[in-house]
């Protein structure tokens, strides 16, 4: 694709999303990413009109209807911002979640993880972390995505050790 809107992580997401369990949630931080992704994902086979955005640009009185359409099967891909997604929404219809963009906010990240995974869940949710790397001579060069991933992983492991005394899962 190339140009100002080029994103290797977005391109990879488009390559793999239809090969993995649906429906899906894609977590992004930026409004521009959500809008661009909605257009791109909406052009995939069978996805026209089945991709919605749930972020801060959506009026609070409309958010519940977006969640209802996702849970009811009218939407197959929901693009969410963790800041909105943390407000108690149950998105248990999801079978896959993709983290395209993350930041250092542990609370938003943990809350986003548990939108699709509830005590009443009857199926596993596959989680994919999209981590960018730069080409290097001997091996890829890690980016800020790797730093954020490591911080969130370490924090989750520490919380598990403090609360249950051992690791009970992996990020």
């Amino acid at each position: 694709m190339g140009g100002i809107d080029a994103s290797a992580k977005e391109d990879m997401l488009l390559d793999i999303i239809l090969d993995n369990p649906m429906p899906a949630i894609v977590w992004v931080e930026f409004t521009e990413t959500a809008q661009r992704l909605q257009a791109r994902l909406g052009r995939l086979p069978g996805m026209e009109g089945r991709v919605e955005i749930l972020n801060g640009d959506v009026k609070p009185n409309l958010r519940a209807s977006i969640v209802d359409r996702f849970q009811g099967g009218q939407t197959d891909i929901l693009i969410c911002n963790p800041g909105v997604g943390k407000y108690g929404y149950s998105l248990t219809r999801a079978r896959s979640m993709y983290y395209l963009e993350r930041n250092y906010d542990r609370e938003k990240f943990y809350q986003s993880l548990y939108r699709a995974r509830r005590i009443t869940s009857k199926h596993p949710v596959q989680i994919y972390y999209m981590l960018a790397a730069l080409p290097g001579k001997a091996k890829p060069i890690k980016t800020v995505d790797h730093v954020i991933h490591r911080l969130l992983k370490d924090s989750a492991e520490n919380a598990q050790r403090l609360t249950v005394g051992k690791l009970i899962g992996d990020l």
Side-chain angles (χ1 to χ4, degrees), residues 135-166:
K137 290 184 179 182
K139 61 181 181 176
I141 299 167
K142 294 180 178 180
T143 64
V144 69
D145 287 344
H146 295 84
V147 175
I148 292 170
H149 183 73
R150 184 79 242 163
L151 175 109
L152 294 172
K153 182 177 174 68
D154 288 349
S155 180
E157 288 173 356
N158 288 338
Q160 287 178 16
R161 285 186 184 104
L162 285 170
T163 57
V164 295
K166 62 181 179 177

Side-chain angles (χ1 to χ4, degrees), residues 2-85:
I4 194 164
D5 289 334
S7 168
K9 291 191 296 184
E10 286 180 26
D11 292 346
M12 178 60 73
L13 175 67
L14 282 134
D15 285 345
I16 67 171
I17 196 164
L18 293 181
D19 292 332
N20 291 308
M22 294 291 275
I25 300 171
V26 180
W27 295 98
V28 300
E29 291 291 329
F30 302 104
T31 300
E32 294 82 11
T33 305
Q35 293 167 346
R36 190 172 53 248
L37 268 179
Q38 183 179 33
R40 292 185 75 190
L41 290 166
R43 289 191 295 268
L44 292 174
M47 289 298 122
E48 185 176 320
R50 300 191 62 81
V51 181
E52 291 200 64
I53 296 173
L54 180 61
N55 66 11
D57 289 346
V58 176
K59 291 185 167 77
N61 62 327
L62 300 177
R63 293 176 186 167
S65 62
I66 291 171
V67 170
D68 289 345
R69 283 193 296 275
F70 181 77
Q71 289 292 95
Q74 293 81 38
T75 301
D76 287 320
I77 301 173
L78 189 58
I79 303 167
C80 293
N81 175 283
V84 173

